[in-house]
Amino acid sequence: MAGQPLTGVTGSRGRSPWWQVVGRESRHGVRILRANGTRLRPRRFAGRALNYITYFLTAAVASFGVNRPDVVMSLTDPPIIGLLALWTARRTGAKFVFLCEDIFPEVAVLLDDFHNETVNRTLDRVGRYLLAHADRVVALGERMRARLVDEKGADPQKIAVVHNWADCEAIRPASKDNAFSRAHGLADRFVVMHSGNLGMSQNLDVILDAADRLRDRRDLVVVFVGDGTRRQALESAVASRRLDNVRFIPYQPKEQLADSFAAADVFLVSLKAGVEGYIVPSKVYGILAAGRPFVAAVDPSCEAAAIAREHGCGVLATPGDAGDLASQLLTLYENRAETAAMGRRAREAAWLFDRRRAVKAYHDLFVDLLERRPEGVSEARV
């Protein structure tokens, strides 16, 4: 590993032109091969499916440009890409690490526009096969680890838990009175923020119901920052119900992220009941880094709920219960001193999930895996 250039195959986000099957670039000594699949808007199944297929094919081409790797690592999305990663690892004599950012087919069930039992059974078999043949499996939390072992038959000895993270140097607690909050009229409001993807896995309609119950608090506003498949439907619902205490703001550029986070008094983390562990809400780590408390409308076994309980930096609301969610938000609204104290505890907890700790965890995992390399297998590089 030492002294060798790092090489990786990744997706099509980058500077390479769309017509180039495999883009090439170098950053900080890392040679990057970009598999340039189609980039259709993923609002419907046909677009997502074509993006998955073309990415799989171009990644297969790119894999031949990676010479003698030490480790091949694959994420779970797109759900069949792990087969290509496993084949590449076996072809080159490398170790295969399977990073489970979500679990299929349970995640696919969330897609309202596509339900196919044959496809779901296939995804389940593919997932189980990859878990059985991976040299290491990474889960994003203890609940996911339990799902993989108890429901998918994964070997518990192969699983390492490495949480998602935030960069505590890049995201810091900041003043609520900043350019972002002033531009959007939030500086003098109690801001309840949902930041990130507006997708199928969150119970976003319940947030609107809770906002409806709180509409008499004229200085309390619910703000959605981000985009996703549910945004248009949510905006239509807000308009039809005349919820003037709900606002939508687009994704913010990276340089404005700190001000965007600082504009919030409280964040919302939500998941539909029953999907905890199949999906881990990664947004909670940025919330911690920003030094803000959160209301977790999730199952008590979810990672976000565990963090809230252990570190006293958030409160729980029953998923799907708008009355309970509104009640928890009202408690934080009426107890500003405790809300601020929870934010300070959130920042303290953030250092346990800092990017540097996660990078070291992956480094140690790879080193440990390579040190157990069977005799006779030649040394290579990541």
Side-chain angles (χ1 to χ4, degrees), residues 181-196:
S181 60
R182 290 192 297 271
H184 295 282
L186 303 176
D188 59 347
R189 302 294 185 93
F190 186 87
V191 177
V192 178
M193 184 176 289
H194 183 287
S195 180

Side-chain angles (χ1 to χ4, degrees), residues 1 32 34 41 70 74 87 151 180 229 250 310 352:
M1 295 174 67
I32 301 171
R34 293 197 178 275
R41 296 187 70 182
D70 279 321
S74 169
W87 174 75
E151 301 175 23
F180 175 88
T229 56
E310 182 176 352
L352 299 175

Side-chain angles (χ1 to χ4, degrees), residues 97-311:
V97 176
F98 192 37
L99 170 53
C100 296
E101 291 205 320
D102 35 34
I103 299 176
F104 286 90
E106 287 77 9
V107 172
V109 174
L110 295 170
L111 304 177
D112 292 339
D113 58 351
F114 183 76
H115 294 283
N116 185 293
E117 289 300 319
T118 300
V119 171
N120 287 342
R121 284 195 298 271
T122 300
L123 292 178
D124 185 57
R125 290 170 182 167
V126 168
R128 291 175 184 271
Y129 180 83
L130 292 170
L131 289 170
H133 290 81
D135 297 293
R136 283 287 191 282
V137 175
V138 177
L140 299 185
E142 292 296 338
R143 185 68 177 106
M144 178 177 281
R145 182 184 186 279
R147 293 273 198 198
L148 293 172
V149 173
D150 298 340
E151 301 175 23
K152 301 296 182 179
D155 181 354
Q157 299 301 317
K158 288 184 178 181
I159 299 180
V161 174
V162 182
H163 293 268
N164 273 329
W165 64 84
D167 188 338
C168 291
E169 294 294 337
I171 302 177
R172 300 169 177 264
S175 172
K176 179 181 173 68
D177 186 8
N178 58 56
F180 175 88
S181 60
R182 290 192 297 271
H184 295 282
L186 303 176
D188 59 347
R189 302 294 185 93
F190 186 87
V191 177
V192 178
M193 184 176 289
H194 183 287
S195 180
N197 182 48
L198 302 177
M200 299 293 186
S201 63
Q202 302 102 350
N203 201 338
L204 301 175
D205 295 307
V206 173
I207 297 176
L208 298 189
D209 292 340
D212 198 352
R213 294 168 184 254
L214 296 169
R215 66 163 77 216
D216 61 320
R217 307 286 172 160
R218 305 306 299 174
D219 63 337
L220 186 153
V221 61
V222 176
V223 179
F224 292 94
V225 179
D227 200 355
T229 56
R230 294 293 322 283
R231 176 165 175 167
Q232 185 174 354
L234 291 170
E235 287 182 318
S236 297
V238 167
S240 65
R241 297 169 68 171
R242 298 180 180 178
L243 294 175
D244 57 4
N245 60 339
V246 178
R247 301 181 187 177
F248 294 87
I249 299 174
Y251 276 119
Q252 297 302 298
K254 187 175 180 180
E255 58 271 16
Q256 295 183 19
L257 192 60
D259 280 357
S260 171
F261 273 76
D265 293 279
V266 175
F267 278 89
L268 288 170
V269 179
S270 64
L271 277 181
K272 288 182 177 178
V275 302
E276 66 284 346
Y278 301 123
I279 295 175
V280 176
S282 60
K283 68 181 64 180
V284 68
Y285 304 103
I287 295 169
L288 296 177
R292 295 295 190 267
F294 60 92
V295 177
V298 299
D299 186 273
S301 67
C302 179
E303 293 299 318
I307 290 171
R309 287 192 303 267
E310 182 176 352
H311 301 284

Side-chain angles (χ1 to χ4, degrees), residues 29-83:
V30 178
R31 186 168 64 100
I32 301 171
L33 307 180
R34 293 197 178 275
N36 282 334
T38 57
R39 310 177 196 181
L40 302 178
R41 296 187 70 182
R43 291 186 178 274
R44 305 298 297 173
F45 173 75
R48 289 193 297 272
L50 187 58
N51 290 345
Y52 285 167
I53 291 169
T54 56
Y55 173 66
F56 185 92
L57 294 174
T58 54
V61 174
S63 70
F64 286 97
V66 181
N67 183 34
R68 297 180 62 235
D70 279 321
V71 176
V72 175
M73 185 167 76
S74 169
L75 279 64
T76 43
D77 190 15
I80 60 173
I81 198 65
L83 294 174

Side-chain angles (χ1 to χ4, degrees), residues 366-378:
F366 295 149
V367 169
D368 178 70
L369 189 59
L370 295 177
E371 287 179 347
R372 302 186 186 198
R373 182 189 297 275
E375 292 184 8
V377 178
S378 61

